Amino acid sequence: MRYIRPLSIEDAVGTLASSARTAAILAGGSDLLVRMKGGFVEPDLIVDIKAVPGLGDVQETAEGFRIGAAVPSAVLGENTALKKAWPGVVEAARLIGSKQVQGRCTIVGNLCNASPAADSVPAMVAAGAKAVIVGPSGRRTIPVETVPAGPGRTTLAKGEIIEAILLDKRPPHAGDAYLRFIPRTEMDIAVVSAGVNLTLDEKGAVKTARVALGAAAPTVLLVEEAAEVLVGSKLDEATLERLAKVCSGACRPIDDKRGTIEFRRKVAGVLARRAAVTAYQRAGGK
Amino acid sequence: MNFDPRYSTRNFTAVGTRPIRPDGIDKVTGRARYGADFNMAGQLVGRILRSPHAHAKIKKIDTSKAEKLPGVKAVITAADLPDHTNGDAAMYDILDNCMARKKALYDGHAVAAVAAIDARTARQALKLIEVDYEVLAHVTDVDEAMKHGAPLINDAVFTEGLEEKPVKPSNVTKRSQFGHGDVHAGFGHADFVVERSFRTEQTHQGYIEPHACVASANADGTADLWVCTQGHFVYRQHCAQLLGMDASKLRVTSSEIGGGFGGKTHVWAEPVALALSRKAGRPVKLVMTRDEVFRASGPTSATSIDVRIGARKDGTITAAEATLRYSCGPYAGSWAEVGAMTSFACYRLENVKTVGYEVLVNRPKTAAYRAPSAPMAAFAVESAIDELAKMVGMDPVDFRIKNAAQEGTRSSYGPVYGPIGIGPTLEAVKNHPHMKAPLGKNQGRGMACGFWFNFGGQTCTDLNIGMDGSVSLAVGTIDVGGSRASLSLIAAEELGIAYEHVKAVVADTSSLGYNDMTDGSRGTFSTSMATISAARNAIRTLRERAAQMWDISVDDVAWEHGHAVARGEKHGNLGKLSLKEIAAASGTTGGPIAGHSELVADGAGVSFATHICDIEVDPETGATRVLRYTVVQDAGKAVHPTYVEGQYQGGAAQGIGWALNEEYIYGKDGRLQNAGFLDYRIPVCSDLPMIDTQILEIPNPNHPYGVRGVGETSIVPPLAAIANALSNAAGVRMTHIPMSPPRVLAALEAAREG
Amino acid sequence: MAGVAVSTTINGDSVEYLCQPDETLLEVLRDRLGLTGAKEGCGTGDCGACSVILDGRLVCSCLVLGAEAEGRQVETVEGMAHGEQLHPLQQKFLEHAALQCGICTPGFLIAAKDLLAKNPSPTEEEIRFGLAGNLCRCTGYDKIVRAVQDAANMMRGA
């Protein structure tokens, strides 16, 4: 086993692409080290990307925000502009693990771990976030929902690294929110979760909406029917009821040690409804 | 020596104060050494290979490849732990649990072990051991295991305690029964009867420190063991017996212990570490991973309990009955028996009957967990009592007060009670401001009572007075949560000196006589009794020395407030001699001054508690939140009240975790699915409110200072207190612990539909 | 397996060590440097007993590789007291009996130190959520929360 710390993204990609055996990318390590400890992975090469310039930064650009792959969640929580623009994404990122884990974990790692229960992913999907991928054949930008292929699997090719997550600049009257259900108040993996992102028109009616559910299917679900329910509404009671119903219906959950199918179905709707109300209020709706 | 343990009233000076514990500074600076913090020169790393199957015959183990791996110094299997148990069935079970002999009986059962130069090599070596298993049908559920046709875990088990000896083997090792009166007649007099069935899932003690030891076996047949344990003398006996050594040749030193709660009263890996060390000829350090702790150590019984209680219109209970089925893991135990004994111990009952069944399942060997077996029985009984109070139309506290056991009551398990605290805890709860605080929407309040026996046992203590007058107290009971502070207070009290002049240590097994382990809430109860006895013996010597210094009769010397005082007119001019002065002269008056004590601490007073809990339910998700919690418990005499409060709070928190989220989850394959702190969910800081405590002091007549054990009872009431609160908050009666959100939501939905 | 040479700073002292690429910072601290104050309760970041502060961020040292400490600042419980002068948190943990078995104490002290550095006047709720990554099985957290509150008062000079 070797540990290397490349100083450029090209170096990192080159090393990963040319590595004959199993290689692992290390940013926050909060998933990788747990898997190594449990004997689930034994990489021959660990590529620590934290020394690559720019990967540890959050940049505010003309188009929005660019969040480097090695930025820990705790840093996102300290970025006032990002929190103001995308409170749902930031609160989701701040729900991953404990304070201790927050100091290390990254939303890119959360995405690439490809767990259907990843906290930041439904929020990012709802936000329409994009992933900037660097690989042997150059750069490409794809919607985050196309990164996970199934539990523990991604669509990334050999040698590819997600360099950054892009979030759009916010128009006026926009808000997002993320809620998850856990049995305790902290430290648990989401049993089921919901992210909602809304923009409103001048009259306070929903103009655009994205609704995503976590731990409700093998990958995060973008529920387009739920968005259609919301668009044009002011989140009246009937709309919220329909939202909950549509979300519950869209779930394809499993029974496991964290929850039952019935529980996940029911609570997915409850959370979507509650998240929608919060997102609406954040967007300035009443 | 004659020691009178009877209680007499006194004005305390040291006892009841709250000084800083003597081991505290090492624990806040990181210097305290726990099980894994000790190292020896040349030590190897030990690791254990565990069965991935719930039930499997071990056909063959091939260790040859592992042995050839460079850096591997020893590989052992059951063949390296020959049977020295001489027909002692309980010890044979311990041996088999340490290393499976013929069958792997649960997921996580040890089958082989290695010692290697480092952890990486040891891990690699485990992968090279080839075990040929024949997988057998398994059963992990307590009710399923009792059914006819269930897979048999041990075909040599024929149920004991039945009127007729069974002809077929079964998974039920024993039936036990307690009670008195005629329950059939009693139910005939009842106007109201509650009858319900309950289930509780298996939980783990959840101590934060995994089991850890360093074993060093020498070529001359002696050995040293450094280990985190609740009872180093017991570990010595068990390890020596399993390894075929003289107990005196094995010195066991207890490390600081990072939590035990009953889970460190049994040997697990220690005999394996010693066997590895013996084979490798080098010290071996063996530390369990958290996964191993969950899969292979600890847990409580899972239970299935039926309760039936009847009462008259006036609220008098006429009959009470319970059938309790407790899982034991794959080895015989007495867990249901204890549950059956405790079930109705809080009440004064004319007609009562409890029956317990010990059930074998393919799960880890059940271990004690804080008031073992009592919380599950209390959950069932106290839930039913609450329901019955409602049917009768009485306040639940008044209903319990009306039926509470008192001094002179014949307990449901046999003995007649002396002065006890159940009534006073209920009166205190009735008058507690918590009971009158307003509640909001979706909120409810519940209360419940709990009982625990407490234990005394064999105890040995040395108290040595230095030439400077300071006191070294050597005890043999492990300090699990501040007992060195409380025992130093006891020594200071009895000798009449300042707490700061006493230093208590836990001695190793070569330095002190045998001590039972710290269990049964006995640490402070029994060792304080032995410490008082030792101090009184030292005082006798101090008086003799003072008499010698004054050249008067010892009969004329009294001991008052840390001084020898000459009694009588004729000695009026002699003044006083302090302990320090007598100690300083000891070299010329007969040598070192010490007091020793060896005793069996009988008369541990039974303990009662009543808890109050407010919770809030989210009706849409089944999530619950504990808003307020109050513990009222009898301590006899609180030696160090802060640590007594700590025991009350800690037990309540564990009970809350058990009630709401903690459970072993097995898959259909019989494998444990949540062997880690991520999915075995013990309460975190943000889950809990402050936990208020009220200490009652009803002196134990069998202890000089009136002390009772305080460690365990606090885990008994929470399961029922929370279930009762939930019932009041949401109108659903939960009969399955833990009351996790999916279960609560399902119950709420069922109630809405029904 | 190639060893990694690391130069780092631990509790203000320059330290150099050689570690394996897959060795955690916790293993380095405990097994190579003799700093056994950080404990391994789980090895998977779920209990917080191994908490240390790395470049001003609270982390679980079981989820950091030893190799990653290169050029960085590590603070452990062993560095909290100055000679005989205990840190206010250490003093208040003793006074409030905020420990029973004490195995979680080093992690709690480090986490609480980090919490108070970022928020000198936390509410009870902020303390509870701030320390939620540290498991304690003995105390029910009551006395820990009170000790942190009291230490915060003391550190603010109140």
Side-chain angles (χ1 to χ4, degrees):
Chain A
M1 183 184 285
R2 283 192 309 136
Y3 166 89
I4 61 158
R5 193 169 12 215
L7 298 174
S8 73
I9 195 81
E10 291 75 19
D11 258 8
V13 167
T15 309
L16 285 167
S18 63
S19 164
R21 293 184 291 174
T22 54
I25 300 170
L26 170 66
S30 49
D31 286 314
L32 177 63
L33 266 63
V34 173
R35 289 186 181 187
M36 284 165 59
K37 170 95 183 174
F40 303 113
V41 292
E42 284 180 58
D44 300 302
L45 178 68
I46 296 174
V47 181
D48 182 348
I49 58 168
K50 288 192 289 296
V52 174
L55 262 55
D57 302 332
V58 180
Q59 291 165 10
E60 201 171 349
T61 64
E63 294 82 36
F65 293 89
R66 181 188 172 89
I67 300 164
V71 177
S73 287
V75 172
L76 299 182
E78 290 158 10
N79 188 311
T80 317
L82 182 67
K83 258 190 346 197
K84 188 158 180 280
W86 292 102
V89 172
V90 175
E91 72 197 358
R94 304 290 324 263
L95 286 173
I96 306 167
S98 60
K99 281 277 178 307
Q100 285 83 339
V101 169
Q102 287 284 303
R104 296 268 294 168
C105 71
T106 66
I107 54 173
V108 169
N110 203 217
L111 179 63
C112 292
N113 193 45
S115 161
D119 277 312
S120 67
V121 181
M124 285 197 279
V125 169
K130 293 176 190 69
V132 182
I133 296 167
V134 191
S137 47
R139 267 185 183 72
R140 60 195 179 104
T141 300
I142 60 170
V144 291
E145 57 266 36
T146 59
V147 173
R153 291 181 298 118
T154 70
T155 56
L156 298 186
K158 184 174 168 63
E160 286 193 324
I161 296 178
I162 296 183
E163 182 185 43
I165 296 291
L166 304 181
L167 286 166
D168 287 344
K169 196 180 174 70
R170 287 303 248 171
H173 312 303
D176 71 332
Y178 172 79
L179 287 173
R180 65 168 182 189
F181 186 87
I182 54 171
R184 293 182 289 189
T185 51
E186 278 283 350
M187 299 303 288
D188 292 330
I189 303 290
V191 180
V192 64
S193 65
V196 177
N197 174 29
L198 304 174
T199 60
L200 312 185
D201 64 20
E202 293 301 326
K203 290 177 187 148
V206 175
K207 196 160 77 183
T208 66
R210 283 171 72 91
V211 178
L213 301 176
T219 56
V220 169
L221 281 181
L222 180 65
V223 189
E224 286 175 15
E225 201 191 333
E228 285 161 19
V229 167
L230 295 176
V231 170
S233 83
K234 289 186 175 179
L235 265 58
D236 53 285
E237 191 53 37
T239 302
L240 290 169
E241 273 305 307
R242 271 173 58 216
L243 171 71
K245 208 167 173 188
V246 164
C247 286
S248 291
C251 291
R252 303 191 305 273
I254 54 167
D255 275 329
D256 68 3
K257 61 188 172 186
R258 292 175 186 144
T260 59
I261 290 170
E262 297 72 39
F263 183 81
R264 287 189 161 108
R265 249 186 224 295
K266 168 90 174 89
V267 176
V270 172
L271 295 181
R273 176 192 173 124
R274 291 178 183 179
V277 169
T278 303
Y280 189 69
Q281 284 164 353
R282 285 175 177 169
K286 280 168 197 141
Chain B
M1 266 176 255
N2 288 331
F3 170 66
D4 181 2
R6 279 175 303 174
Y7 171 73
S8 58
T9 49
R10 61 189 288 153
N11 293 319
F12 293 104
T13 52
V15 165
T17 62
R18 301 170 182 245
I20 286 174
R21 64 199 280 171
D23 52 314
I25 194 147
D26 281 346
K27 288 181 173 164
V28 298
T29 54
R31 289 178 204 173
R33 291 206 296 178
Y34 293 82
D37 298 338
F38 182 76
N39 296 295
M40 286 181 78
Q43 99 193 353
L44 302 170
V45 175
R47 283 190 70 87
I48 294 178
L49 183 69
R50 297 183 181 279
S51 166
H53 305 296
H55 196 192
K57 197 167 151 191
I58 300 168
K59 292 165 76 179
K60 190 177 163 225
I61 303 180
D62 183 351
T63 59
S64 57
K65 283 183 191 154
E67 279 158 18
K68 286 188 196 113
L69 183 71
V72 172
K73 302 297 178 183
V75 183
I76 64 164
T77 65
D80 297 278
L81 282 161
D83 180 8
H84 296 291
T85 60
N86 295 324
D88 180 338
M91 282 310 293
Y92 183 85
D93 286 350
I94 293 173
L95 177 68
D96 192 62
N97 190 43
C98 286
M99 190 69 79
R101 305 185 81 75
K102 293 176 186 127
K103 290 203 295 183
L105 295 169
Y106 56 92
D107 167 34
H109 198 166
V111 293
V114 302
I117 51 167
D118 57 34
R120 279 151 199 83
T121 310
R123 271 204 300 271
Q124 274 181 291
L126 289 187
K127 290 185 184 164
L128 296 174
I129 297 173
E130 291 167 3
V131 186
D132 187 7
Y133 293 104
E134 180 190 332
V135 177
L136 304 172
H138 66 271
V139 60
T140 54
D141 182 87
V142 62
D143 286 330
E144 292 297 321
M146 285 182 76
K147 288 183 180 161
H148 292 293
L152 277 186
I153 286 155
N154 182 345
D155 58 16
V157 166
F158 294 84
T159 310
E160 288 174 32
L162 298 180
E163 283 182 12
E164 276 180 47
K165 193 176 186 314
V167 292
K168 283 186 180 170
S170 83
N171 289 323
V172 179
T173 62
K174 190 169 67 178
R175 177 191 185 275
S176 48
Q177 185 178 324
F178 298 89
H180 53 254
D182 179 344
V183 286
H184 183 73
F187 281 114
H189 297 132
D191 298 308
F192 302 99
V193 175
V194 165
E195 188 167 4
R196 270 204 192 268
S197 296
F198 299 86
R199 280 182 67 91
T200 68
E201 295 300 328
Q202 181 171 308
T203 55
H204 193 276
Q205 295 82 351
Y207 31 83
I208 309 299
E209 180 200 32
H211 299 265
C213 67
V214 179
S216 177
N218 298 314
D220 64 358
T222 63
D224 274 276
L225 180 69
W226 164 278
V227 61
C228 61
T229 169
Q230 288 174 247
H232 47 327
F233 290 91
V234 174
Y235 273 37
R236 177 180 68 166
Q237 247 177 274
H238 288 183
C239 288
Q241 192 178 347
L242 296 181
L243 286 139
M245 333 172 34
D246 287 345
S248 61
K249 289 187 180 159
L250 173 60
R251 183 174 66 167
V252 182
T253 306
S254 59
S255 68
E256 293 294 341
I257 179 171
F261 317 111
K264 290 175 183 167
T265 58
H266 311 251
V267 293
W268 312 96
E270 297 76 12
V272 175
L274 281 161
L276 282 170
S277 175
R278 192 162 63 180
K279 193 160 184 182
R282 284 168 67 172
V284 172
K285 182 172 187 170
L286 206 161
V287 182
M288 278 197 196
T289 62
R290 177 54 54 186
D291 174 83
E292 289 179 286
V293 170
F294 277 112
R295 283 169 70 207
S297 81
T300 64
S301 302
T303 73
S304 153
I305 301 172
D306 306 328
V307 174
R308 193 171 171 226
I309 312 175
R312 281 200 197 95
K313 281 179 193 151
D314 71 352
T316 309
I317 296 176
T318 59
E321 193 173 24
T323 303
L324 307 98
R325 296 164 286 265
Y326 279 48
S327 71
C328 300
Y331 305 105
S334 294
W335 307 106
E337 184 177 353
V338 175
M341 290 170 80
T342 62
S343 303
F344 293 106
C346 292
Y347 299 104
R348 195 180 67 248
L349 301 169
E350 270 181 46
N351 306 298
V352 56
K353 178 184 171 188
T354 57
V355 177
Y357 294 98
E358 317 293 341
V359 187
L360 301 187
V361 292
N362 292 112
R363 294 186 181 217
K365 186 176 194 289
T366 295
Y369 177 23
R370 202 171 200 153
S373 300
M376 308 81 141
F379 163 59
V381 168
E382 290 293 296
S383 295
I385 290 271
D386 232 52
E387 231 180 327
L388 188 55
K390 276 205 186 92
M391 285 167 88
V392 171
M394 276 180 80
D395 172 83
V397 181
D398 291 332
F399 182 72
R400 286 174 171 86
I401 289 172
K402 187 172 176 68
N403 292 287
Q406 317 165 339
E407 186 166 0
T409 296
R410 182 170 178 206
S411 67
S412 56
Y413 61 98
V416 173
Y417 288 129
I420 53 171
I422 180 66
T425 63
L426 282 163
E427 294 288 348
V429 159
K430 187 177 166 69
N431 298 316
H432 199 286
H434 184 166
M435 289 303 279
K436 292 161 194 94
L439 288 165
K441 197 181 167 200
N442 296 323
Q443 296 178 357
R445 176 168 300 139
M447 49 78 59
C449 301
F451 158 87
W452 184 241
F453 304 97
N454 290 342
F455 177 58
Q458 297 186 66
T459 314
C460 178
T461 295
D462 273 2
L463 187 152
N464 289 288
I465 298 173
M467 303 243 289
D468 63 352
S470 66
V471 171
S472 304
L473 180 65
V475 302
T477 41
I478 304 299
D479 180 351
V480 295
S483 64
R484 273 165 291 187
S486 60
L487 296 171
S488 298
L489 283 169
I490 293 276
E493 182 75 44
E494 192 65 30
L495 292 169
I497 61 173
Y499 168 80
E500 292 71 27
H501 294 151
V502 182
K503 171 78 175 170
V505 298
V506 179
D508 67 52
T509 57
S510 295
S511 311
L512 203 62
Y514 177 83
N515 277 266
D516 284 329
M517 54 202 166
T518 300
D519 67 352
S521 300
R522 71 177 288 272
T524 295
F525 166 74
S526 64
T527 306
S528 69
M529 192 184 278
T531 299
I532 292 166
S533 168
R536 288 180 183 173
N537 290 336
I539 287 169
R540 184 176 319 124
T541 305
L542 287 162
R543 283 170 49 229
E544 283 166 6
R545 300 299 177 84
Q548 198 180 331
M549 288 164 76
W550 280 325
D551 196 19
I552 63 173
S553 164
V554 68
D555 295 337
D556 290 342
V557 182
W559 190 260
E560 289 171 4
H561 308 298
H563 292 76
V565 184
R567 278 254 175 81
E569 294 274 315
K570 58 183 173 180
H571 305 310
N573 59 344
L574 284 178
K576 295 195 277 192
L577 279 170
S578 69
L579 181 146
K580 194 173 176 173
E581 288 165 323
I582 300 167
S586 60
T588 57
T589 60
I593 301 173
H596 306 282
S597 171
E598 299 86 29
L599 51 78
V600 177
D602 288 327
V606 291
S607 168
F608 293 91
T610 303
H611 291 193
I612 319 166
C613 172
D614 293 354
I615 70 161
E616 184 172 288
V617 186
D618 180 340
E620 288 189 309
T621 65
T624 54
R625 181 155 177 72
V626 177
L627 303 169
R628 184 171 177 181
Y629 204 95
T630 301
V631 177
V632 181
Q633 187 178 322
D634 173 22
K637 174 69 198 173
V639 178
H640 191 307
T642 311
Y643 286 103
V644 173
E645 292 163 8
Q647 291 298 317
Y648 290 7
Q649 292 165 336
Q654 288 180 325
I656 291 168
W658 194 338
L660 294 178
N661 279 310
E662 294 179 33
E663 64 177 311
Y664 268 46
I665 302 168
Y666 278 90
K668 289 200 172 73
D669 57 2
R671 300 191 65 181
L672 182 61
Q673 298 194 335
N674 59 334
F677 278 136
L678 184 61
D679 285 302
Y680 183 89
R681 304 181 190 97
I682 77 171
V684 301
C685 195
S686 47
D687 290 341
L688 298 176
M690 293 295 188
I691 295 170
D692 294 330
T693 58
Q694 187 177 344
I695 301 172
L696 304 185
E697 295 187 328
I698 296 141
N700 175 3
N702 306 312
H703 184 283
Y705 294 177
V707 171
R708 294 175 198 263
V710 298
E712 295 170 286
T713 313
S714 50
I715 201 173
V716 183
L719 282 61
I722 293 171
N724 291 339
L726 190 56
S727 168
N728 292 330
V732 289
R733 173 56 63 186
M734 299 302 294
T735 56
H736 193 169
I737 293 279
M739 298 172 275
S740 58
R743 286 199 187 109
V744 173
L745 187 61
L748 290 167
E749 298 272 293
R752 281 193 274 260
E753 282 161 20
Chain C
M1 206 179 280
V4 184
V6 176
S7 299
T8 187
T9 304
I10 300 178
N11 298 326
D13 297 327
S14 297
V15 176
E16 294 187 348
Y17 55 82
L18 198 62
C19 69
Q20 295 299 323
D22 63 348
E23 201 170 324
T24 65
L25 178 59
L26 177 63
E27 290 172 300
V28 168
L29 291 171
R30 290 181 54 82
D31 300 337
R32 293 193 185 269
L33 304 176
L35 293 169
T36 56
K39 308 297 181 192
E40 180 169 319
C42 66
T44 50
D46 299 313
C47 79
C50 66
S51 297
V52 301
I53 296 171
L54 182 65
D55 282 353
R57 292 250 174 242
L58 182 68
V59 298
C60 286
S61 60
C62 75
L63 293 186
V64 178
L65 292 177
E68 291 182 78
E70 170 67 33
R72 302 175 78 175
Q73 301 271 342
V74 182
E75 292 172 62
T76 73
V77 71
E78 287 91 346
M80 278 183 76
H82 292 287
E84 295 208 328
Q85 184 66 44
L86 293 179
H87 187 279
L89 278 161
Q90 293 172 311
Q91 187 58 39
K92 292 303 174 189
F93 266 58
L94 288 178
E95 288 173 13
H96 287 266
L99 53 141
Q100 282 176 33
C101 83
I103 192 90
C104 68
T105 307
F108 265 101
L109 287 167
I110 286 289
K113 181 174 184 242
D114 177 73
L115 172 73
L116 296 185
K118 294 179 170 70
N119 180 1
S121 307
T123 62
E124 181 191 332
E125 194 181 357
E126 286 168 340
I127 293 172
R128 287 190 179 276
F129 278 90
L131 299 178
N134 294 77
L135 298 181
C136 170
R137 191 60 157 171
C138 293
T139 63
Y141 304 104
D142 182 299
K143 293 185 190 301
I144 292 174
V145 173
R146 290 179 202 276
V148 174
Q149 286 173 325
D150 199 8
N153 288 339
M154 187 180 169
M155 288 165 74
R156 288 196 310 269

